[in-house]
Amino acid sequence: MSAYAQELKNTAQAMVSNGQGILAMDESNGTCNKRFDKVGIPTSEEMRRSYRELILTTPNVGNYISGAILYDETIRQSTKDGKPFTQVMKDQDVIIGIKVDTGAKDLAKFPGEKVTEGLTGLRDRLSEYYKMGARFSKWRAVITIGDGIPTQFCIDANAHALARYAALCQENGLVPIVEPEVLINGDHTIEQCYDVTNQTLWTVFDQLHRHRVEFDKMVLKPSMVISGLDCPQQASPKQVAEWTIKCLRKSVPADVAGIAFLSGGQTPEQAAEHLHWMNSEPLKSQCPWPVTFSYARAIQQPALENWKGQESNAGEAQKLLHHRAKMNSVASQGQYSSDKEKEPAMA
Ligand code: 13P
């Protein structure tokens, strides 16, 4: 058994403990700059630092967030007063997570499909991140639904990389978040999304098992089973919750420490509502694992749009971030309703 066995188990359980979820703030510099550009924020290292300081210093965010996923640039940064972000997180009781893949790249000879890279040198990087205080990590694979895709080859390649990553994480004391994202983009139906998600998860867990990954020391970060953004027939929130739990029950071992969904382009309110229905009866008691969130856009977007890079907007932006974290915490306990959205921020 690994020297880290007990620590890994404790960390995995803490990441998905009741009423808490994970904040993804691990956008690569490229992705972060794209989001800044859209709302007119200058794209510089200092702006990215300043934005991440705003997020991490939001008062009491640790009540709703068990952990936050950082990017390599961010884990090395500090507040403008010189306090390392890792210390800010420890003081808020927020577990430090780190994105370790180096991005989804075009899969040669498979048009329209991607494979995630980042295994080279990963063991050394994980050991450095552990020393910096990180206790969990993330690797995102991307599966696209389209004409004749995904191919089983693409799913296999991504599942293999995810499993190699997860095994290395457990060897080095970090809980792996395993994230196979089936993209919401396209005009596919919820049934098509169900089939692809099911096929993907089966393949991923087969590979994880072959790589001897211990399921009780990992967290799965799936996409929800949902209608494509351009599908004329949009499934209702309850249907999304039902199809998603049905799919996960068929393909995710009961031993997995927890499920923490990505938001994937859903609006903040949709992401909260879907999570709410999954944590309400009759679905809740069908789930052998805790089901919570690991959202980026569905937590950050209102705050980012309000901040606009202006110091004078920081307080208001923090209120909006706090509100979204709280809404998702409430949803993860099956207590969300649209009325709750009207409660004063930061209460
Ligand atoms: P979204 O919630 O914005 O989809 O991001 C989650 C994430 O971490 C993607 O890797």
Side-chain angles (χ1 to χ4, degrees):
M1 195 152 55
S2 147
Y4 296 109
Q6 196 55 50
E7 186 183 26
L8 286 168
K9 211 169 164 162
N10 294 346
T11 303
Q13 281 171 5
M15 286 162 69
V16 294
S17 66
N18 196 24
Q20 291 201 311
I22 297 162
L23 168 61
M25 48 179 289
D26 60 325
E27 299 84 1
S28 64
N29 291 347
T31 302
C32 188
N33 288 346
K34 258 192 241 157
R35 303 225 165 121
F36 277 14
D37 253 342
K38 267 201 185 145
V39 289
I41 300 169
T43 54
S44 64
E45 180 175 348
E46 175 50 23
M47 281 314 236
R48 292 191 297 271
R49 191 208 60 74
S50 177
Y51 176 56
R52 265 69 185 251
E53 173 170 350
L54 179 158
I55 296 179
L56 290 173
T57 59
T58 297
N60 302 319
V61 76
N63 292 347
Y64 312 115
I65 300 294
S66 58
I69 319 171
L70 308 180
Y71 182 59
D72 182 75
E73 178 181 88
T74 319
I75 198 173
R76 300 169 196 280
Q77 288 175 324
S78 304
T79 63
K80 66 176 177 314
D81 300 334
K83 189 171 175 179
F85 283 164
T86 50
Q87 192 56 48
V88 175
M89 291 171 75
K90 285 176 190 160
D91 292 349
Q92 288 248 46
D93 212 12
V94 172
I95 311 169
I96 301 163
I98 181 78
K99 168 193 174 80
V100 300
D101 67 69
T102 55
K105 308 285 160 58
D106 288 343
L107 180 61
K109 295 187 184 283
F110 285 79
E113 299 199 284
K114 304 253 181 215
V115 66
T116 302
E117 298 185 348
L119 289 169
T120 307
L122 183 57
R123 179 178 274 125
D124 293 341
R125 289 194 287 133
L126 291 171
S127 131
E128 187 198 5
Y129 288 138
Y130 184 91
K131 288 189 197 117
M132 293 169 87
R135 290 296 176 270
F136 71 94
S137 56
K138 183 192 108 171
W139 179 292
R140 171 177 176 256
V142 179
I143 304 296
T144 309
I145 304 180
D147 219 4
I149 59 172
T151 60
Q152 184 62 43
F153 184 87
C154 172
I155 296 174
D156 286 342
N158 277 292
H160 191 263
L162 272 169
R164 280 191 62 195
Y165 141 82
L168 276 165
C169 287
Q170 290 186 344
E171 179 199 84
N172 288 281
L174 285 97
V175 170
I177 292 186
V178 171
E179 181 182 7
E181 174 171 5
V182 176
L183 293 179
I184 196 172
N185 308 76
D187 60 2
H188 50 270
T189 61
I190 191 168
E191 288 87 349
Q192 285 171 296
C193 181
Y194 175 92
D195 288 343
V196 170
T197 306
N198 197 33
Q199 181 187 1
T200 301
L201 291 175
W202 266 99
T203 309
V204 166
F205 278 100
D206 177 51
Q207 284 295 332
L208 290 168
H209 177 69
R210 287 162 185 253
H211 283 74
R212 304 183 177 174
V213 171
E214 293 165 79
F215 298 151
D216 60 340
K217 302 175 184 71
M218 64 161 275
V219 169
L220 177 72
K221 177 165 172 165
S223 39
M224 294 181 196
V225 175
I226 193 164
S227 322
L229 280 180
D230 301 326
C231 178
Q233 195 118 36
Q234 291 289 312
S236 72
K238 268 192 182 175
Q239 286 172 322
V240 170
E242 284 162 9
W243 281 87
T244 302
I245 295 304
K246 183 174 160 190
C247 183
L248 297 186
R249 275 169 48 87
K250 283 198 190 299
S251 53
V252 181
D255 208 19
V256 166
I259 311 284
F261 285 101
L262 60 93
S263 58
Q266 300 176 39
T267 67
E269 291 78 11
Q270 282 172 334
E273 189 172 1
H274 292 149
L275 187 61
H276 163 78
W277 289 119
M278 288 188 244
N279 280 292
S280 304
E281 293 306 340
L283 296 176
K284 181 164 180 58
S285 51
Q286 296 175 15
C287 296
W289 355 255
V291 172
T292 188
F293 59 92
S294 174
Y295 298 157
R297 284 163 289 177
I299 294 181
Q300 293 183 42
Q301 201 57 30
L304 179 67
E305 285 169 13
N306 186 279
W307 178 56
K308 295 197 182 74
Q310 311 280 328
E311 181 58 37
S312 55
N313 295 335
E316 193 56 35
Q318 286 188 329
K319 280 190 192 167
L320 293 169
L321 188 99
H322 181 275
H323 182 67
R324 292 266 45 97
K326 186 176 170 186
M327 289 302 101
N328 287 306
S329 162
V330 165
S332 74
Q333 299 166 86
Q335 308 277 328
Y336 175 82
S337 67
S338 51
D339 281 352
K340 288 248 165 45
E341 291 285 355
K342 295 174 201 136
E343 286 176 7
M346 221 75 140

